[in-house]
Amino acid sequence: MNSLSGRENISIGLAILFSVTAGLAVGNLYWAQPLLSVIAEDLSIPESQGSFLVTATQIGYAAGILAIVPLGDVMQRRKLLLIVMTMTIFALTACAFAPTFAILSLALAFLGIFTVSGQIILPLSGDLASDETRGKIVGIVSSGITAGILFSRLLSGLVADILSWRGIYIIAAILNLLMTAVIFYKLPNVPVKSKVSYKNLIQSVFTSLTKYPKMRGILLKQGMIFGITFNLFWTALTFLLSGAPFNYGTSRIGLISLAGLTGAVAGAKLGTLQDKGLGDKGIFVFIGMSIASMIVAAFSGTSIILIILIAAIFSLAVQGVGILCQAQLFAFSDSERSRLNTAFVVSNFLFSAVGSSLSSFLWNFGNWSAVMSGAALASFLALIIHCRESQVQ
């Protein structure tokens, strides 16, 4: 077991391990999403109630982010990760054997609370990286999170077709157990950065907005791109592809979503823009890509080829904005990265809730074109915020 007493440049191998661990942790949130109708039928509940399972998971995740992730600034990270990953395994097992809808809902909320290891690892990777490579390392780990979201939805549908919805949770528990063992042996001991009472720790998540004024602009433009535009696009895409003229099933829609891997694959390279001092210019370009892709999407609702191409370009733009915003955020402080990341994720969660609600409203108002117009407007607002916050030459 290694021990790091000062800042040493994290190896690419360890960064990739962090990426896989973070992706698996975030993926745990999405196993149920493609299976809601199957779960509802198996547990003999109305299909309309199935969506509560997603809500329970999200509420749990929000609570876990706020209550647990800041502890990364005051606890030994190896110990904290082993605790939350072990509790995640118990939660996944409880999901697999839940006999009733109520118990499954409780197990999923419990899972949401503890599957936060990805958000503990991300600021840890920023701590272990040197100033010259932090953007690259954050990009690698962030790419794992994106890939985890995409693959979990696809894998969930495929496994459920072969086994059952319970089978995916058994497999997930085994994968998380293996990853916990690897983390136990490979994660270095990193010294605790500071001693702060729990009350002050949580308070400082919110006071950081005053302490670091530029943080507000970062959270706003990230919220507009990821929270609102991203959710508008992908939610509306499910509506579009499941209806005429496409009439795609869940598995086929999942395959289309793999176009989002462009951002995950390019993640490490995107982060190097911040390392080279090109972060602000990069964000400007990526927001511009988001605006352009949403405008084109508004007129491309009947062509699957154009939709896949737009999804790929848009995913690259979203990943670029997210990685560069996070790298800039981590540069504010060496001792508060877990708290800064908590604020970042909670903000994303709040904006995502708005984006999900807007998608249904705009779809009912004017279907695909209306949603894409709203997405383009949200991206344009992000561009205005960015231009006010920085000088793009």
Side-chain angles (χ1 to χ4, degrees), residues 365-384:
F365 179 77
N367 294 330
W368 175 256
S369 296
V371 180
M372 292 305 98
S373 298
L377 177 60
S379 294
F380 184 70
L381 290 175
L383 187 65
I384 294 175

Side-chain angles (χ1 to χ4, degrees), residues 6 9 39 49 93 178 261 263 273 321 366 370 372:
N9 196 18
I39 293 173
Q49 292 184 20
T93 305
L178 293 173
L261 283 175
L273 293 173
V321 173
M372 292 305 98

Side-chain angles (χ1 to χ4, degrees), residues 209-343:
L209 291 170
T210 303
K211 187 176 181 180
Y212 306 108
K214 290 185 178 180
M215 186 175 169
R216 293 192 290 268
I218 290 176
L219 297 186
L220 281 172
K221 58 194 174 190
Q222 168 68 5
M224 288 293 174
I225 295 297
F226 177 81
I228 295 183
T229 308
F230 180 87
N231 277 280
L232 285 176
F233 177 78
W234 287 105
T235 303
L237 186 61
T238 301
F239 294 155
L240 179 71
L241 296 180
S242 62
F246 301 106
N247 298 311
Y248 288 173
T250 302
S251 297
R252 203 168 181 183
I253 293 174
L255 288 172
I256 299 297
S257 71
L258 290 183
L261 283 175
T262 52
V265 172
K269 292 295 182 182
L270 298 177
T272 59
L273 293 173
Q274 181 65 26
D275 299 332
K276 295 175 182 178
L278 299 173
D280 283 342
K281 291 182 179 179
I283 291 173
F284 181 85
V285 171
F286 289 127
I287 293 177
M289 288 170 57
S290 178
I291 296 171
S293 59
M294 292 301 95
I295 291 175
V296 174
F299 300 97
S300 306
T302 58
S303 171
I304 190 61
I305 294 176
L306 281 176
I307 288 171
I308 292 173
L309 181 61
I310 289 165
I313 295 172
F314 175 61
S315 296
L316 180 64
V318 172
Q319 190 77 348
V321 173
I323 287 173
L324 293 175
C325 281
Q326 204 146 30
Q328 291 182 353
L329 195 70
F330 287 166
F332 289 156
S333 172
D334 291 341
S335 61
E336 301 172 77
R337 290 196 178 102
S338 291
R339 281 167 280 180
L340 294 174
N341 191 54
T342 297

Side-chain angles (χ1 to χ4, degrees), residues 161-176:
D161 287 342
I162 299 172
L163 301 174
S164 69
W165 69 266
R166 297 180 187 275
I168 188 62
Y169 283 103
I170 294 173
I171 292 173
I174 294 171
L175 290 175
N176 279 266

